[in-house]
Amino acid sequence: MKYSIFSLAKAALTGHKGWGRAWRDAAPKAHYDVVIIGGGGHGLATAYYLAERYGIRNVAVLEKGWIGSGNAGRNTTIIRSNYGLPGNTGFYELSMKLWERMEQDLNYNTMVSQRGIINLYHSDAQRDAFARRGNTMRINGIDAELLDKAAVRKMLPFLNHDNARFPIMGGLVQRRGGTARHDAVVWGYARAADGLGVDIIQNCEVTGFVRDHNGRITSVETSRGRIGAGKVGMAVAGNSSRVAAMAGLRLPIESHVLQAFVSEAIKPLIPGVITFGAGHFYVSQSDKGGLVFGGDIDGYNSYAQRGNMPVIEDVCEGGMALMPMISRVRMLRNWGGIMDMSMDGTPIIDKSPVDGLYLNAGWCYGGFKATPASGLVFAHLMATDAPHEEAWRFRLDRFERGAMIDEKGQGAQPNLH
Ligand SMILES: Cc1cc2nc3c(=O)[nH]c(=O)nc-3n(C[C@H](O)[C@H](O)[C@H](O)COP(=O)(O)OP(=O)(O)OC[C@H]3O[C@@H](n4cnc5c(N)ncnc54)[C@H](O)[C@@H]3O)c2cc1C
């Protein structure tokens, strides 16, 4: 639907009556060419690109709750492409380029804000590692700057630069990094996919797979009945091992809780995103003024969308070491999401060993920034049966071949989001 300044003003003055729905509440059809399981950012983006780039429009996205009820609506909204390993560098920069034109592509305000991200370093060895990563980024055409102690002090004067354990020696900056509004991203992809004919079906949990005599998946069993499918794509993030198990697969993925926190609103303080990996703490400030922060995963396997006290204590300690005045800010709320932790911290985007079933999983705590590229390369894989040129390394069999992509800060190591 197109809006003019007059129709917008009229809607505002008349209580938004007659405002069109952003997407249809579709009822399941008997059969789709492609069924995507999971109405998070990745599933919806996949459906959008299947329709928009590959002309496959007989597509359903099945979501057990409501779209965005998983990690897509629970993350701390950081986007960046400051990766250093082959496989990751090109993929995350593809994603960054898609973020940069997302609002035009989707005709939706996803509040992409390139306010910059800085990763702090505290030792010579860490500086060398960041310099290597920054150089790799620049060789690949990605912006990176290595700041020294004085430059970080000037940029972020409110930090405790001389804390005894981890004095700040500098930082690696990506100015094109930043944040985007997570649920607007979900809604933007949902609206655009729906506009191209995709059925978004909520309250529809996949409970099993139906296979023919050759073992190929032909349908999914759901809480709303059996739905036929030419191909099935899994984009269920923290539930990956559970859904894969229904097809008889055991994935190299564990599920862990990751918590996040938001404070009461304060005046503008933090210019971009700050990560303090050594102290397991990172922070940004939302447009409403709240400090949005987090730290490490809860260290046990769980499918609960809530965490426990030891991590809350650990995150608050990290925050106070970095910026002691945070102790005077009141916490508004905290929450948790289920992370699909792959064994090397890198995703799996591949055909599965089960004919007709495709995998998009293993995002750990960094999949929000990947949303657009993940959707695009997964759509490519499902449409063409060949990996996208930026995603061919994300194979399932890399664990048995020893071709891991073990990027520091992505997997079980201290996280930087
Ligand atoms: C606290 C926290 C902070 C984070 N911070 C960042 C960050 O700053 N930057 C970043 O890049 N990443 C971050 N992440 C990670 C990021 O949110 C995830 O990697 C990403 O959202 C996963 O992809 P998704 O959006 O598709 O997942 P989800 O939104 O979880 O989508 C999966 C969907 O599948 C549905 N589903 C599951 N099982 C079934 C079933 N059987 N049938 C039907 N539907 C099913 C779920 O209900 C869910 O809606 C964070 C995550 C958390 C929890």
Side-chain angles (χ1 to χ4, degrees):
M1 185 189 282
K2 290 248 182 319
Y3 298 103
S4 69
I5 184 95
F6 300 107
S7 66
L8 286 172
K10 189 176 166 205
L13 294 171
T14 55
H16 300 286
K17 292 191 185 86
W19 199 255
R21 277 180 180 269
W23 60 86
R24 291 165 298 130
D25 188 16
K29 293 194 293 201
H31 187 275
Y32 292 90
D33 294 337
V34 175
V35 162
I36 303 291
I37 312 174
H42 292 223
L44 291 162
T46 305
Y48 166 73
Y49 289 115
L50 277 169
E52 196 263 347
R53 293 274 173 111
Y54 299 95
I56 301 174
R57 298 187 171 195
N58 185 23
V59 175
V61 177
L62 309 183
E63 166 53 49
K64 73 174 174 179
W66 63 94
I67 61 169
S69 56
N71 295 336
R74 292 166 182 267
N75 62 71
T76 42
T77 76
I78 298 167
I79 60 174
R80 60 184 173 87
S81 59
N82 53 0
Y83 286 72
L85 290 187
N88 284 338
T89 315
F91 173 79
Y92 285 100
E93 179 58 10
L94 169 67
S95 210
M96 184 56 82
K97 291 212 167 79
L98 291 169
W99 283 113
E100 285 173 330
R101 45 176 245 233
M102 179 180 282
E103 288 161 358
Q104 288 73 27
D105 284 352
L106 302 181
N107 187 24
Y108 201 83
N109 183 6
T110 51
M111 295 169 69
V112 175
S113 169
Q114 293 180 289
R115 54 183 77 178
I117 178 164
I118 181 167
N119 304 145
L120 301 173
Y121 63 79
H122 314 273
S123 68
D124 291 346
Q126 219 185 351
R127 183 200 52 217
D128 291 352
F130 280 10
R132 199 175 315 122
R133 174 141 64 109
N135 283 333
T136 306
M137 290 164 64
R138 290 173 76 133
I139 289 166
N140 284 281
I142 305 167
D143 66 306
E145 286 166 58
L146 196 66
L147 301 189
D148 64 11
K149 200 174 177 153
V152 176
R153 198 178 277 270
K154 191 166 171 212
M155 182 191 212
L156 304 167
F158 55 87
L159 296 185
N160 176 11
H161 291 260
D162 304 309
N163 89 71
R165 192 160 171 223
F166 296 118
I168 298 169
M169 290 178 60
L172 180 67
V173 173
Q174 186 185 23
R175 295 199 192 271
R176 286 164 61 241
T179 57
R181 173 77 204 186
H182 50 9
D183 24 36
V185 174
V186 171
W187 301 331
Y189 274 119
R191 176 176 173 273
D194 174 89
L196 294 169
V198 170
D199 279 358
I200 296 167
I201 304 166
Q202 304 182 94
N203 300 311
C204 183
E205 178 169 4
V206 171
T207 53
F209 294 100
V210 182
R211 295 156 79 159
D212 66 15
H213 59 279
N214 293 319
R216 184 180 172 85
I217 289 188
T218 54
S219 331
V220 289
E221 296 286 6
T222 80
S223 53
R224 296 177 69 175
R226 183 175 288 190
I227 301 174
K231 294 179 176 177
V232 177
M234 254 181 62
V236 293
N239 287 282
S240 295
S241 17
R242 287 211 278 215
V243 175
M246 295 176 200
L249 293 176
R250 185 145 186 250
L251 298 180
I253 285 177
E254 285 183 5
S255 290
H256 286 258
V257 178
L258 180 69
Q259 303 189 56
F261 308 82
V262 66
S263 77
E264 62 183 332
I266 59 171
K267 287 184 182 171
L269 170 72
I270 298 179
V273 180
I274 305 170
T275 79
F276 175 37
H280 296 190
F281 176 80
Y282 68 98
V283 63
S284 66
Q285 190 164 13
S286 78
D287 293 323
K288 282 195 291 190
L291 301 182
V292 180
F293 56 96
D296 230 340
I297 52 175
D298 282 43
Y300 49 89
N301 294 358
S302 172
Y303 291 109
Q305 285 178 314
R306 59 192 286 271
N308 270 311
M309 284 305 283
V311 165
I312 300 180
E313 197 178 337
D314 187 59
V315 170
C316 293
E317 274 174 18
M320 279 187 276
L322 184 69
M323 35 193 295
M325 81 288 214
I326 205 173
S327 66
R328 304 215 311 274
V329 176
R330 276 171 297 189
M331 190 134 87
L332 207 57
R333 59 180 184 274
N334 77 314
W335 62 92
I338 316 167
M339 306 292 87
D340 39 337
M341 304 299 292
S342 68
M343 294 299 109
D344 61 354
T346 297
I348 298 160
I349 303 179
D350 203 355
K351 290 180 177 183
S352 83
V354 176
D355 201 13
L357 180 65
Y358 297 72
L359 302 175
N360 176 321
W363 292 100
C364 302
Y365 31 66
F368 177 65
K369 70 179 79 65
T371 304
S374 165
L376 179 60
V377 303
F378 197 40
H380 180 95
L381 175 71
M382 294 197 72
T384 65
D385 273 321
H388 188 278
E389 60 180 359
E390 292 296 359
W392 64 267
R393 286 187 174 86
F394 298 159
R395 289 166 56 159
L396 176 61
D397 70 0
R398 69 176 184 271
F399 300 96
E400 41 184 297
R401 291 185 303 117
M404 267 81 81
I405 309 173
D406 212 349
E407 182 103 25
K408 174 132 180 69
Q410 295 315 309
Q413 308 164 28
N415 74 67
L416 300 171
H417 295 274

